Amino acid sequence: MKRNLRCMYAIALLQGMVFYGPVATLYREAQGVSIAQITLIESISLALCILLEVPWGILADQLGYKRTMIGCCFLYFLSKIVFWQADGFGGFLLERVMLSVVVAGMSGVDTSILYLSRGEQDSQQVFGWYNSLQTAGLLIAALIFSLFVGDNYALAGGLTVLSYGAAALCALGLTEVKSPAPFSPRLTLDILRQTLTNRRLLLFLLSAALLSEAHQTITTFLNQLQYARAGLPDWAIGALYIAATVLGMAGIWSARLTRRTGTVGTAVLLCGGGVLACIALALTTAPLPSICAILTLRLCNTLCQPFLMELQNKQVTTPHRATALSVQAMIIDGVGVGTNLAFGALAEINLSWSFWLGGGICLAGLLLFIIWYKLRPRA
């Protein structure tokens, strides 16, 4: 099973190498797509991901995780060719539709391959390396873009195609981790019912969703508004983007942190750090505190994701693992839609209010996590 880990790590690194990442919006605009069209495409893509989650989970359990991963990697490769050659709204919409199919297909399958290849032993460390290598690929691509590619958008797209093609070839080296499970409508409905009626699991999923979405929204969208409010120049914002990307590789130390602080201690430390970071952002417009708070939020989330991924996988008891994880992903994504709307509405009125919301969300996530932990079955 070490072969699976090597293949998955290589896939993570290569698929992280999106060479047009630093100019993704400018790339689309140069091909005739407006900002309004870009946001419309993103909304369509998110809706498709949610709709396809459960059907893809069912299909993955029937096909087997190796076949599903190979198919998704090759479709991912084809989507990058479409992006590279896209010219106008229709081409980029097609690329995003293909991406939605891929994201929904890989959801739960990649983590299941990693988890079942290693078992419960050190799975948090495996998830940490997997996430960190994705970030490493992004960082490598950003550096190559800055040093060699520049404003040659066509070259950036072509290099991304090559990277994703190599990732698809790596997927051919995977070995199956479980036998395909026959489709059973009744069993699928049972999984859905068990998930929606499992109060303890729902507490965990809601907690994980709140913590992840607070980080995602603030460090992806609201951070730039805070930097501008703090008066930082464009070159400083670019440097901070690289710094935040580097911090995304810290997930390899997540397992070590949990071994030292325990399950609840890790949650309190990382979620508490998120709460304090959000409060700092709400109270200040000074450059240094803003920078420290945003980077702290980034670090806390990076360390938290492998921790949450292991706990989530441990709670899956059905052999239809991909179906169960897809149902859970649909719930988490649904929460994300609501929090995104709330963050956006508040940021339009007052940016500080959106940071207060972030602090409240992180605190609520922590409280839900503690309640989930206290409801655990006693040995």
Side-chain angles (χ1 to χ4, degrees), residues 166-202:
L169 293 176
C170 288
L172 296 175
L174 292 169
T175 57
E176 188 57 79
V177 291
K178 65 179 289 294
S179 301
F183 172 66
S184 169
R186 180 177 179 180
L187 184 58
T188 302
L189 290 174
D190 284 344
I191 292 173
L192 183 60
R193 178 184 56 79
Q194 290 168 10
T195 302
L196 296 177
T197 58
N198 187 335
R199 183 179 63 158
R200 184 168 181 264
L201 177 59
L202 289 175

Side-chain angles (χ1 to χ4, degrees), residues 108-329:
V109 173
D110 55 350
T111 56
S112 291
I113 291 173
L114 292 167
Y115 186 79
L116 295 175
S117 294
R118 191 64 178 257
E120 295 187 11
Q121 179 187 5
D122 295 330
S123 60
Q124 184 177 344
Q125 185 175 4
V126 169
F127 292 142
W129 275 105
Y130 185 66
N131 290 344
S132 296
L133 285 167
Q134 288 177 321
T135 304
L138 178 63
L139 180 60
I140 291 169
L143 291 173
I144 291 175
F145 175 87
S146 300
L147 295 174
F148 304 108
V149 178
D151 59 358
N152 190 340
Y153 295 170
L155 177 59
L159 290 174
T160 304
V161 169
L162 293 177
S163 179
Y164 275 70
L169 293 176
C170 288
L172 296 175
L174 292 169
T175 57
E176 188 57 79
V177 291
K178 65 179 289 294
S179 301
F183 172 66
S184 169
R186 180 177 179 180
L187 184 58
T188 302
L189 290 174
D190 284 344
I191 292 173
L192 183 60
R193 178 184 56 79
Q194 290 168 10
T195 302
L196 296 177
T197 58
N198 187 335
R199 183 179 63 158
R200 184 168 181 264
L201 177 59
L202 289 175
L203 285 171
F204 175 82
L205 295 176
L206 182 56
S207 171
L210 292 175
L211 297 172
S212 300
E213 290 304 321
H215 159 267
Q216 172 67 16
T217 305
I218 292 175
T219 62
T220 302
F221 302 107
L222 302 184
N223 62 335
Q224 296 177 24
L225 299 178
Q226 179 72 1
Y227 289 150
R229 190 168 69 155
L232 292 174
D234 289 345
W235 67 264
I237 294 176
L240 289 169
Y241 171 81
I242 294 176
T245 303
V246 172
L247 285 179
M249 299 172 63
I252 57 176
W253 293 297
S254 177
R256 184 179 301 178
L257 175 67
T258 302
R259 285 195 294 268
R260 291 190 176 184
T261 61
T263 301
V264 174
T266 300
V268 170
L269 180 63
L270 299 180
C271 300
V275 172
L276 294 176
C278 290
I279 291 175
L281 289 169
L283 294 175
T284 186
T285 58
L288 185 58
S290 298
I291 292 170
C292 292
I294 289 171
L295 293 182
T296 296
L297 189 59
R298 171 68 166 166
L299 178 62
C300 289
N301 181 76
T302 299
L303 293 169
C304 199
Q305 287 308 307
F307 169 68
L308 294 174
M309 289 167 70
E310 180 181 54
L311 293 176
Q312 183 180 359
N313 273 272
K314 282 184 175 180
Q315 294 177 85
V316 177
T317 56
T318 174
H320 294 71
R321 175 173 290 272
T323 303
L325 290 173
S326 292
V327 171
Q328 295 175 19

